[in-house]
Amino acid sequence: MKFIRRAFVSAIAAVALVVGPAVSAEAAGGSFDVTKLSAKSIVVSNSNCRNIDVNMSHKKSGVSEWMVDADVTRGGGVVDYAFFANDGNSKRTRVMVCPDWSGLGKYSLGPSEVIANNSSYSNFVDRTDYTKGSFYVRGKTYASLSTKRSGKTVSLTSKTKVYNPEKYGKVNYNPKVKFQVKSGSKWKTIKTVTANKGKATYKVKTKSKKSYRVTFSQVSWATGATSKSAKR
């Protein structure tokens, strides 16, 4: 598909050179600028490829026909291209992302190749636009909490996992886990522990029965999660 677009762009450029071999001062009146590229972040819990809607805003002057070909990359590698044109997807198009191949994390939109002209090809634009956008592909995470009391001591043990499309399943995850206790109608953090091999533990000394839970925040490649509460 990329080669077809490149050939199409080259053909338009060739016509422009034939119709207007010398780009005059009038050509300076033509302009096309991408002003925004955006897409919604997604969460994955399986390895299926996803279609992502990419939105593009622009401003133009002195041109009526145009095409924009925006790179979709992750870690510097091209994943797909978002193609827009005046006679088709002028504001929104779709790209395909396969997390099992391209991975989790931040995806960048842009730079873009821009071709634009007016009906007489006198205002011809052929440039690279460096406007950028981004979206995130995050693996779904899971958190559970088990409790055990021995006299005045309550042992809290959390287990955390994340879906990894490259492994085609859930794997142990090591976030900074917040152990929380319910105080009135609010949850209060009593200890933050970095999980190891998907597990974190903390011991609380208390006579009374209380409700506990664990929670952690999202990062660029994984969602946040909160366990069900447990009373002990």
Side-chain angles (χ1 to χ4, degrees):
M1 181 64 73
K2 185 65 172 177
F3 295 108
I4 295 174
R5 292 174 187 166
R6 289 286 181 268
F8 190 30
V9 167
S10 297
I12 290 179
V15 171
L17 290 174
V18 171
V19 176
V23 180
S24 65
E26 185 183 3
S31 66
F32 189 103
D33 296 294
V34 177
T35 57
K36 185 177 182 180
L37 289 167
S38 64
K40 290 184 178 179
S41 298
I42 63 170
V43 176
V44 299
S45 57
N46 57 56
S47 58
N48 295 339
C49 293
R50 266 74 170 177
N51 286 319
I52 307 293
D53 287 335
V54 179
N55 301 295
M56 188 271 293
S57 300
H58 67 274
K59 62 180 180 180
K60 61 184 176 66
S61 176
V63 296
S64 55
E65 298 178 354
W66 54 267
M67 293 180 296
V68 174
D69 209 2
D71 291 349
V72 181
T73 63
R74 180 180 175 273
V78 176
V79 174
D80 203 348
Y81 300 92
F83 185 69
F84 305 87
N86 64 282
D87 59 352
N89 300 323
S90 61
K91 294 182 179 180
R92 178 178 296 176
T93 191
R94 291 185 126 187
V95 299
M96 181 174 286
V97 170
C98 298
D100 60 331
W101 174 68
S102 52
L104 303 172
K106 183 179 180 179
Y107 286 68
S108 296
L109 301 169
S112 308
E113 292 185 19
V114 176
I115 296 288
N117 58 263
N118 58 7
S119 58
S120 63
Y121 292 95
S122 57
N123 286 354
F124 187 67
V125 178
D126 183 357
R127 60 182 291 266
T128 299
D129 189 295
Y130 290 95
T131 299
K132 285 196 172 185
S134 64
F135 63 94
Y136 294 85
V137 177
R138 294 183 173 94
K140 185 176 181 180
T141 56
Y142 305 83
S144 63
L145 176 68
S146 61
T147 61
K148 184 178 180 181
R149 177 179 284 276
S150 177
K152 298 180 181 179
T153 301
V154 176
S155 298
L156 308 174
T157 302
S158 73
K159 291 185 178 181
T160 48
K161 291 184 178 293
V162 61
Y163 182 82
N164 185 336
E166 297 173 272
K167 299 291 185 180
Y168 300 100
K170 300 174 186 177
V171 298
N172 288 335
Y173 179 45
N174 301 319
K176 290 184 178 180
V177 175
K178 294 180 180 180
F179 287 94
Q180 296 184 326
V181 63
K182 195 166 189 180
S183 178
S185 60
K186 297 182 178 180
W187 288 94
K188 178 182 177 182
T189 298
I190 52 177
K191 186 69 175 180
T192 299
V193 179
T194 300
N196 181 31
K197 295 181 180 180
K199 184 178 178 180
T201 60
Y202 183 62
K203 292 184 178 181
V204 181
K205 289 188 176 181
T206 178
K207 295 180 180 179
S208 58
K209 187 177 284 190
K210 297 181 179 180
S211 293
Y212 301 93
R213 72 177 188 183
V214 290
T215 186
F216 54 86
S217 302
Q218 76 173 13
V219 292
S220 64
W221 60 277
T223 66
T226 300
S227 71
K228 293 182 178 179
S229 62
K231 199 167 186 177
R232 183 66 65 181

